[in-house]
Amino acid sequence: MAFNTIVETLPAMGRFSLRCKRENTVAMSKALGFELPSTISELVRSGNVTALKLGPDEWMLTCPMDERAKIKEPLAAVYADAVHSLTEVSSREVSIRVSGPEAEELLSTSCPRNLRELTVGCGVRTVFDSVQVILTREEQNQFRLDVWRSFVPHVMGLLSVATKEFECGL
Amino acid sequence: MSKFSAVSLLKGALTGYKNVEPQWPDAELKSEYDVIIVGAGGHGLGAAYYLAKEHGITNVAVIDKGWLGGGNTGRNTTIIRSNYLYDESARLYDHAVDLWDGLSQDLNYNVMFSQRGVMMLAHNVHDVQSFKRHIHANRLNGVDNVWLTPEQAKEKCPPLNISPSARYPVMGAAFQQRGGTARHDAVAWGYARAAAARGVDIIQNCPVLSIERGPEGAVTGLQTARGFVKAKKIAVSAAGGTSVVMDTAGVRLPLESYPLQALVSEPVKPIFPQVVMSNTVHAYISQSDKGELVIGSGTDQYVSYSQRGGLPLIEHTLAAICEVFPIFRRIRMLRKWGGVVDVTPDRSPILGKTPVQGLYLNCGWGTGGFKATPGSAHVFAHTIAQDEPHPINAPFTLERFETGRLIDEAAAAAVAH
Amino acid sequence: MLLIHCPYCKEKLPELEFEYAGQAHIARPLNPAEQSDAEWRDYLFIRSNVRGDHAEQWRHTHGCGRYFNALRNTVSDKFIATYEIEQPRPTGSEEGEKSNEQLES
Ligand SMILES: Cc1cc2nc3c(=O)[nH]c(=O)nc-3n(C[C@H](O)[C@H](O)[C@H](O)COP(=O)(O)OP(=O)(O)OC[C@H]3O[C@@H](n4cnc5c(N)ncnc54)[C@H](O)[C@@H]3O)c2cc1C
Ligand SMILES: [Zn+2]
């Protein structure tokens, strides 16, 4: 059986965990130059910067490695008036992209969520086997898993075993 | 009731066991008893037996809402050991192991007590330190427990993988040779038969609805599905159902009832000689005499009376078993089930008197009370008969949660079985 | 596996993303030093352990990260409601139904 779903790790990117109270999100949005998403799982993109809302007061911001200042500097500038916590976690995570016609099924081997309900352009924190991950549906048949670095071999191992099983038609 | 002996077994075998008599009568509920025990598990039936045998109290009923032994006694994975850390626990559990030793003879019923040994694997430095601490403490208390090197462990248990490059390397093991397993149903049946032979009434399928108290506060009797029955003393031994029953007497308890699951594989040839537990990877395994691998781990995370539990826990348990014993990866599981275990904050039981006169309590055995059955039943009977705890169960009071004198095996071991 | 509705994510999600966190609506005494030993025991250890509708805390650990409350029947394991942490118990008293669901079942 032809199985052409690809699993690959992505180059390093800038990642920031942002926590702030609801009343400060207006100031934060203004500083960043785009509106922070307001519902959990909503992903907003502005140029090379993305913001994903993970919890009531928590966002994950990403950008290319050499554009990290675009996030750090404007937020630092408003810190005095809009208290928040911005923590750089770039080196904590590695992203894995799963793309191809069976991407959803492949991920379902280890993710307990009903992935059909994850709409294109949305992302959530969930578990993959026992590993906490951020799972984003970039396109209908393309997902991204953000995984803490030390768990990457485990996750990649599971995905490659599952790939082999699909390939031989199990 | 006729006695079992080599001759009677042979005769039965030759005549095809045609005229087997009931091993205990299904008794009618009388209107009054000296002692009523709520819960016909091993602990309740055992207490009735020792009340009759050692204290001459035979006007006793054991009442169960279901069938005898249908609670955790008939649902557990039958691991027996006594290598607990604290002095109080060591005395209590070792008292049980002493009684297990002669139990089949005492009851004239084969409970299939098998001292095959219990091995607890150490996978990291913390395990090594804590198990060695247990071993030293056990030795001071006269409880057998020895340290095995990985090679010695493998010699005893050949399926063990002791390669240093294993994901969870075996750095050694604590081993209690006097530990092992017993046939759980036979324990309930044996106690029921021996107690009934001494005049105890065993009442099945009769839920106890409430404990009734008189104007002075002392117990007067029980409201049951078959009506009111008077009792001078009431002893509750209802495991997962304890909070509900005790609430009707106005006694609120430091208990939470959780589902605990177990499962067995298809039967295979003898391959696994001991009971092996891995606290770190979190599962334990033994092989029954029928050949099934008997597997368990911890409770589900939420309180529940469902006697069911969820599949994530089963998956977690089997993942752990495959991690430690990759040879079992392709074995098929036959069935799984759950029981409702009553857990105390310090994971030690509550065994003694209550603030209510005439009301006695044996509960909180949580995930590990099968091993204690004879010992617990023995000292509980003493407590009921004398209205005074036996020295062995004296520390296991309900008051300890107020005084702070906890017996914190939770912190000491932190694993189920 | 339980399916649990997170009141913050507004989605019904698998139990594996959640952690159970004990009976709900147990307030820590404001001044522990003023408590009697019995009161302190009640706060620390005594639980309703009700056979019936149980108010309890859960945390959506591997999701939005929030603690929330749930009302769940401990016999059927069915969730009756989930609600945000500051909200009162939807039905009955904070203690739970006084009468436990009947013993026969
Ligand atoms: C899956 C599993 C694995 C386990 N593994 C081990 C192990 O390996 N080693 C070990 O030592 N322990 C183990 N345990 C724990 C052990 O089974 C228990 O601690 C022990 O059997 C308790 O015995 P008991 O007689 O107190 O309770 P039970 O056998 O549960 O008896 C209590 C009885 O009370 C009855 N009852 C409750 N409410 C009422 C009521 N209102 N009216 C009338 N009757 C009522 C119930 O029907 C029940 O029959 C395990 C438990 C489980 C569930
Ligand atoms: Zn959530």
Side-chain angles (χ1 to χ4, degrees):
Chain A
M1 191 179 94
F3 181 79
N4 37 30
T5 295
I6 296 158
V7 179
E8 61 195 332
T9 52
L10 300 181
M13 61 177 96
R15 304 170 203 266
F16 295 86
S17 168
L18 171 65
R19 308 287 304 257
C20 81
K21 293 228 165 88
R22 190 170 302 151
E23 57 265 32
N24 288 337
T25 52
V26 177
M28 310 298 291
S29 299
K30 214 164 136 209
L32 285 165
F34 64 88
E35 201 69 29
L36 280 173
S38 58
T39 44
I40 293 171
S41 86
E42 191 183 343
L43 178 74
V44 167
R45 170 177 293 277
S46 165
N48 281 332
V49 177
T50 68
L52 170 62
K53 181 150 170 146
L54 290 174
D57 60 359
E58 182 183 1
W59 290 262
M60 178 60 79
L61 307 179
T62 66
C63 65
M65 279 305 262
D66 53 8
E67 291 179 30
R68 282 174 289 174
K70 280 194 185 160
I71 291 174
K72 270 200 261 188
E73 280 165 14
L75 290 184
V78 297
Y79 185 79
D81 299 320
V83 177
H84 62 271
S85 141
L86 183 77
T87 311
E88 178 164 2
V89 292
S90 304
S91 60
R92 185 180 74 181
E93 281 159 34
V94 171
S95 290
I96 299 170
R97 176 167 290 153
V98 181
S99 52
E102 278 90 6
E104 189 182 277
E105 239 178 303
L106 190 63
L107 289 170
S108 293
T109 57
S110 287
C111 181
R113 282 212 177 212
N114 180 356
L115 295 180
R116 222 153 287 166
E117 284 175 5
L118 183 62
T119 25
V120 175
C122 288
V124 289
R125 187 153 46 200
T126 179
V127 278
F128 186 85
D129 191 55
S130 48
V131 180
Q132 180 170 300
V133 300
I134 296 171
L135 177 66
T136 311
R137 186 169 212 148
E138 296 175 326
E139 287 166 26
Q140 183 57 31
N141 287 333
Q142 179 174 314
F143 294 83
R144 196 181 85 200
L145 283 171
D146 300 341
V147 183
W148 284 29
R149 187 171 291 281
S150 59
F151 295 116
V152 171
H154 180 68
V155 170
M156 286 300 273
L158 285 169
L159 285 170
S160 89
V161 168
T163 300
K164 283 186 192 127
E165 289 181 352
F166 277 102
E167 275 169 356
C168 64
L170 273 178
Chain B
M1 184 147 332
S2 58
K3 278 195 80 161
F4 289 119
S5 65
V7 178
S8 79
L9 291 180
L10 188 66
K11 215 166 104 196
L14 292 175
T15 55
Y17 279 108
K18 285 211 190 68
N19 301 312
V20 179
E21 51 184 334
Q23 297 295 300
W24 56 85
D26 213 359
E28 284 292 316
L29 192 62
K30 287 192 269 191
S31 62
E32 183 172 357
Y33 289 94
D34 291 339
V35 178
I36 299 182
I37 296 174
V38 181
H43 288 245
L45 292 163
Y49 170 70
Y50 293 116
L51 274 176
K53 183 188 169 212
E54 304 211 339
H55 305 279
I57 302 174
T58 55
N59 185 22
V60 175
V62 186
I63 304 183
D64 202 288
K65 65 176 173 176
W67 68 94
L68 141 193
N72 297 337
T73 298
R75 295 165 185 269
N76 76 89
T77 46
T78 77
I79 299 174
I80 294 170
R81 60 182 183 91
S82 61
N83 50 359
Y84 283 72
L85 181 66
Y86 294 109
D87 298 351
E88 297 88 344
S89 323
R91 274 198 290 279
L92 178 58
Y93 290 97
D94 214 44
H95 182 51
V97 172
D98 287 345
L99 289 174
W100 277 117
D101 234 341
L103 193 60
S104 294
Q105 286 75 14
D106 186 23
L107 298 178
N108 182 233
Y109 202 84
N110 189 358
V111 301
M112 297 166 74
F113 179 44
S114 153
Q115 290 177 298
R116 60 186 65 183
V118 174
M119 188 184 286
M120 302 167 92
L121 302 178
H123 297 289
N124 51 43
V125 173
H126 170 79
D127 283 355
V128 172
Q129 289 171 343
S130 113
F131 289 179
K132 286 193 172 167
R133 182 177 173 218
H134 274 71
I135 290 170
H136 295 312
N138 289 157
R139 289 219 179 140
L140 290 173
N141 278 314
V143 175
D144 73 305
N145 197 9
V146 295
W147 177 254
L148 302 180
T149 63
E151 293 72 26
Q152 289 169 323
K154 181 156 179 86
E155 203 171 303
K156 283 197 187 295
C157 182
L160 207 56
N161 173 10
I162 57 165
S163 152
S165 64
R167 171 101 161 74
Y168 296 99
V170 174
M171 296 174 71
F175 185 68
Q176 185 179 26
Q177 181 65 66
R178 281 160 73 238
T181 59
R183 172 82 204 282
H184 51 4
D185 296 324
V187 173
W189 298 337
Y191 272 127
R193 176 174 174 274
R198 289 174 185 269
V200 170
D201 282 356
I202 294 166
I203 316 285
Q204 306 185 60
N205 300 311
C206 177
V208 167
L209 305 178
S210 64
I211 295 169
E212 302 296 326
R213 298 170 60 179
E216 311 282 277
V219 299
T220 55
L222 289 172
Q223 208 56 254
T224 79
R226 296 188 203 162
F228 181 75
V229 47
K230 268 174 84 172
K232 296 201 184 75
K233 293 179 175 180
I234 295 171
V236 174
S237 198
T242 303
S243 295
V244 183
V245 177
M246 291 296 289
D247 199 43
T248 65
V251 182
R252 301 186 64 219
L253 294 173
L255 282 183
E256 289 190 295
S257 294
Y258 292 91
L260 179 64
Q261 306 183 69
L263 67 167
V264 293
S265 73
E266 57 190 331
V268 290
K269 288 262 166 66
I271 177 171
F272 208 73
Q274 282 92 24
V275 178
V276 174
M277 312 178 47
S278 166
N279 296 9
T280 298
V281 192
H282 206 218
Y284 57 81
I285 180 166
S286 67
Q287 188 170 22
S288 76
D289 294 338
K290 276 189 284 181
E292 302 160 329
L293 298 173
V294 183
I295 294 168
S297 67
T299 66
D300 275 87
Q301 50 175 345
Y302 46 86
V303 299
S304 174
Y305 289 84
S306 67
Q307 286 201 133
R308 199 168 40 228
L311 273 179
L313 205 109
I314 293 293
E315 199 198 353
H316 157 85
T317 306
L318 291 177
I321 290 296
C322 293
E323 200 67 63
V324 186
F325 295 105
I327 58 162
F328 294 137
R329 279 195 172 182
R330 306 188 62 178
I331 206 161
R332 277 170 297 214
M333 294 298 135
L334 272 194
R335 55 182 193 278
K336 74 150 190 95
W337 63 89
V340 179
V341 297
D342 45 330
V343 177
T344 58
D346 61 0
R347 300 297 187 276
S348 287
I350 299 166
L351 185 47
K353 298 172 68 169
T354 69
V356 178
Q357 204 198 319
L359 183 60
Y360 306 85
L361 183 59
N362 174 16
C363 67
W365 289 97
T367 59
F370 176 72
K371 62 176 70 66
T373 304
S376 151
H378 184 249
V379 296
F380 194 38
H382 177 103
T383 309
I384 300 164
Q386 313 291 328
D387 194 37
E388 201 55 58
H390 188 284
I392 290 181
N393 65 309
F396 293 88
T397 59
L398 183 53
E399 286 75 46
R400 73 178 187 271
F401 297 97
E402 189 176 327
T403 61
R405 284 196 65 88
L406 303 185
I407 304 165
D408 204 354
E409 294 292 342
V415 83
H417 48 83
Chain C
M1 175 152 36
L2 302 179
L3 293 176
I4 306 171
H5 183 267
C6 173
Y8 296 97
C9 294
K10 303 193 167 48
E11 243 192 300
K12 206 178 222 187
L13 296 163
E15 180 193 339
L16 282 173
E17 290 188 0
F18 297 84
E19 261 173 297
Y20 177 74
Q23 187 180 330
H25 306 299
I26 298 176
R28 189 173 198 277
L30 290 176
N31 191 347
E34 280 173 6
Q35 298 271 299
S36 70
D37 287 351
E39 286 167 330
W40 190 240
R41 167 204 62 198
D42 287 357
Y43 161 68
L44 280 183
F45 298 130
I46 303 293
R47 295 294 176 262
S48 78
N49 201 22
V50 68
R51 190 184 154 93
D53 296 348
H54 186 239
E56 58 197 24
Q57 305 179 108
W58 286 82
R59 182 175 177 226
H60 193 188
T61 318
H62 302 298
C64 66
R66 276 301 170 106
Y67 282 95
F68 61 89
N69 289 331
L71 194 64
R72 182 179 55 93
N73 184 289
T74 58
V75 180
S76 65
D77 287 341
K78 280 213 178 93
F79 283 89
I80 298 146
T82 55
Y83 50 105
E84 294 186 8
I85 202 86
E86 310 82 6
Q87 291 174 349
R89 193 182 197 272
T91 57
S93 67
E94 298 283 279
E95 284 266 292
E97 310 299 340
K98 194 56 216 149
S99 61
N100 284 325
E101 181 168 301
Q102 230 0 294
L103 287 156
E104 313 103 302
S105 68

Coordinates of all heavy atoms in Angstrom, one line a residue, chain A residues 4 13 15 56 76 78 100 102 156:
Chain A
N4 N 2.2 7.7 1.8 CA 3.2 8.8 1.6 C 2.9 10.0 2.6 O 2.7 11.1 2.2 CB 3.3 9.3 0.2 CG 1.9 9.2 -0.5 OD1 0.9 9.4 0.2 ND2 1.8 9.0 -1.8
M13 N 13.2 27.3 16.0 CA 12.5 28.6 15.8 C 12.4 29.3 17.2 O 12.6 28.7 18.2 CB 11.1 28.4 15.2 CG 10.2 27.6 16.0 SD 8.5 27.5 15.2 CE 8.7 26.0 14.3
R15 N 10.6 30.7 20.3 CA 9.4 30.4 21.0 C 9.4 31.1 22.4 O 10.4 31.2 23.1 CB 9.3 28.9 21.3 CG 9.5 28.0 20.1 CD 9.6 26.5 20.6 NE 10.3 25.7 19.6 CZ 9.7 25.0 18.7 NH1 8.4 25.0 18.6 NH2 10.4 24.3 17.8
P56 N -6.6 30.1 29.6 CA -7.2 31.4 29.8 C -6.3 32.6 29.8 O -6.6 33.7 29.4 CB -7.9 31.2 31.2 CG -8.1 29.8 31.3 CD -6.9 29.1 30.6
A76 N 8.8 44.1 26.3 CA 9.6 44.7 27.4 C 9.3 46.2 27.6 O 9.2 46.7 28.7 CB 11.1 44.5 27.2
V78 N 6.5 47.7 27.3 CA 5.2 48.0 28.0 C 5.1 47.3 29.3 O 4.1 47.4 30.0 CB 4.0 47.6 27.1 CG1 3.9 48.4 25.8 CG2 3.9 46.1 26.8
G100 N 0.6 14.7 4.9 CA 0.3 13.6 3.9 C -1.1 13.2 4.2 O -1.7 13.5 5.2
E102 N -2.5 10.5 5.2 CA -2.9 9.7 6.5 C -2.4 10.4 7.7 O -2.3 9.7 8.8 CB -2.4 8.3 6.4 CG -3.2 7.3 5.6 CD -2.8 7.3 4.1 OE1 -1.8 7.9 3.8 OE2 -3.5 6.7 3.3
M156 N 9.3 10.4 18.0 CA 9.7 10.0 16.7 C 9.7 8.5 16.5 O 9.3 8.0 15.5 CB 11.1 10.6 16.4 CG 11.2 12.1 16.1 SD 10.1 12.6 14.7 CE 11.3 12.4 13.3

